[in-house]
Amino acid sequence: MSLHTEARSTASEFASTALASPFDAAFDAVFRTGAAAAPSSPRLGEAVVRLRPKYADGVLEARVRWSLHGRDDVPLVIVQGGISADRRVAAHGDDAGWWDDIVGDGAAIDLRRWHVLSIDWLARSDLGDALAVASDDQADAIAAVLDALGIRRAHAFVGASYGAMVALAFATRHAQRVDRLVAIAGAHRAHPLSIAVRNIQREVVRFAARHGDVGAGLDLARRLAMTTYRGEREFAERCAGAPRHVDGRFRFAEEDWLGAAGARFAQRFDADRFLALSESIDLHAVAPERVRVPTTLVGIASDRVVPLADLCELQRRCGTAATLHVIDSRYGHDAFLKESASIGGLLRETLVDP
């Protein structure tokens, strides 16, 4: 279990007015329904919280970086994405958010109606001598940030990919803190075939690191990941061009696309963080029977990372009412990033006013 006592927060970049308010006043500010208030700028901060990590002995302090987007007089929605996502879920000024098509003024998660909390994922280095970081640890960290901000309960937890796994962990560990759950392209466990592919990705990164070129390892690991993240239809449409003979060998259309994706990833992602979060996906395990928060599951017909069969099992075994929506998309697992109309429509229906 997590320990939330003695949680303390320090602002970084923007101060949170909720931190300066007594507990009940902060709760009232988040859930008050009165005259409309102007949307506020994102508030970014850090909370130093006490956790009991799953793969460590005892209690330790961890620093969790959080963001709050939208007005503070409307209900709160927790939003978390894949391992590449960070707390900047929505755009601010010239800085893009990772889910701008879904979170923003007038979007499916409308910042005029919902207040959005997101955190940066914890890595193993954030948890002292822990052997690994668990999805349970991420869920406990989010609950601890709610405590630090003086927020008793969220209207919903919307998670996609790894975020869906953490949302399910949150529902089993902190059911009293959230009214409903939306899990997109994430299940109660990682599929064995997906674990096998991620194991190869991690070995590629470790091999490259041992030979002094960790960037090349991250590049290749991402290229391999893209072959599972995207669907067969997109590959067929994108890569229909004939091979070209360049520098003494044939170069295939797939190489340019995958190479660009790999290069972008290597430039912005830290190897230790990638290894820790990739492993965390594979260690994830939640008993569906313990999920007792009303749940909406969203699966992608072409998803090869999270097969529909796993989501069907999760729905069947879920400890409460659970609905499963299936989206047909050319984008495979990455449909949660690409199919903003379909995903947005489902979220508008699900996130009804309390």
Side-chain angles (χ1 to χ4, degrees):
M1 64 181 292
S2 64
L3 301 180
H4 306 314
T5 57
E6 303 179 29
R8 62 183 186 272
S9 297
T10 56
S12 72
E13 302 181 60
F14 294 93
S16 170
T17 56
L19 296 179
S21 304
F23 186 94
D24 288 338
F27 173 79
D28 290 340
V30 172
F31 289 95
R32 184 173 62 250
T33 56
S40 60
S41 297
R43 286 170 287 163
L44 309 181
E46 294 181 350
V48 178
V49 303
R50 292 169 62 80
L51 302 174
R52 188 186 298 275
K54 183 174 183 178
Y55 297 105
D57 294 326
V59 178
L60 54 78
E61 287 190 340
R63 187 176 299 274
V64 186
R65 290 158 56 87
W66 53 262
S67 72
L68 284 169
H69 289 77
R71 292 163 34 181
D72 61 5
D73 66 336
V74 291
L76 183 81
V77 175
I78 303 164
V79 176
Q80 295 292 146
I83 65 170
S84 300
D86 60 18
R87 59 180 169 165
R88 295 177 185 268
V89 64
H92 173 56
D94 295 332
D95 297 326
W98 65 265
W99 222 12
D100 284 338
D101 290 339
I102 297 294
V103 180
D105 291 350
I109 302 179
D110 190 345
L111 293 180
R112 299 169 303 184
R113 298 178 59 195
W114 310 109
H115 201 194
V116 171
L117 170 68
S118 188
I119 71 165
D120 283 347
W121 295 126
L122 294 173
R124 191 175 69 176
S125 58
D126 297 313
L127 298 179
D129 60 355
L131 299 178
V133 58
S135 56
D136 291 357
D137 302 333
Q138 311 284 11
D140 291 349
I142 292 170
V145 169
L146 290 177
D147 285 344
L149 295 172
I151 300 171
R152 293 176 183 170
R153 192 176 182 90
H155 176 62
F157 192 138
V158 178
S161 190
Y162 182 56
M165 292 177 161
V166 173
L168 290 163
F170 189 92
T172 65
R173 301 172 70 79
H174 307 284
Q176 75 282 4
R177 307 299 297 269
V178 64
D179 293 332
R180 66 197 66 199
L181 179 72
V182 182
I184 306 168
H188 54 295
R189 63 170 177 86
H191 190 277
L193 180 57
S194 296
I195 292 175
V197 174
R198 279 187 294 269
N199 179 69
I200 297 171
Q201 293 170 22
R202 294 193 295 272
E203 285 303 302
V204 167
V205 172
R206 294 185 184 112
F207 180 85
R210 289 195 298 269
H211 289 79
D213 195 353
V214 69
L218 287 168
D219 181 332
L220 289 173
R222 187 63 169 188
R223 296 189 203 197
L224 178 57
M226 289 289 290
T227 67
T228 63
Y229 289 166
R230 300 299 180 90
E232 292 94 337
R233 275 185 286 164
E234 185 181 12
F235 268 89
E237 293 165 7
R238 276 182 174 268
C239 307
R244 297 172 290 115
H245 196 265
V246 180
D247 297 330
R249 71 174 181 89
F250 281 100
R251 186 173 183 87
F252 295 85
E254 291 81 355
E255 294 183 62
D256 291 337
W257 180 34
L258 297 180
R264 288 194 302 270
F265 187 76
Q267 289 172 359
R268 66 183 179 85
F269 220 81
D270 174 79
D272 289 337
R273 184 173 183 80
F274 167 76
L275 292 171
L277 293 177
S278 172
E279 181 182 62
S280 185
I281 295 174
D282 294 344
L283 291 169
H284 168 73
V286 165
E289 294 79 7
R290 294 184 57 210
V291 178
R292 297 188 174 91
V293 176
T295 298
T296 299
L297 304 173
V298 182
I300 317 300
S302 56
D303 191 344
R304 290 182 289 174
V305 178
V306 183
L308 282 179
D310 284 2
L311 291 176
C312 291
E313 179 187 351
L314 173 57
Q315 181 195 25
R316 183 176 66 253
R317 294 174 53 194
C318 199
T320 189
T323 58
L324 172 59
H325 300 270
V326 179
I327 293 174
D328 181 33
S329 172
R330 66 194 283 261
Y331 296 112
H333 184 73
D334 276 357
F336 78 90
L337 294 169
K338 297 290 189 179
E339 300 286 5
S340 56
S342 298
I343 297 293
L346 287 173
L347 289 174
R348 289 181 190 276
E349 294 176 6
T350 304
L351 298 180
V352 294
D353 291 324

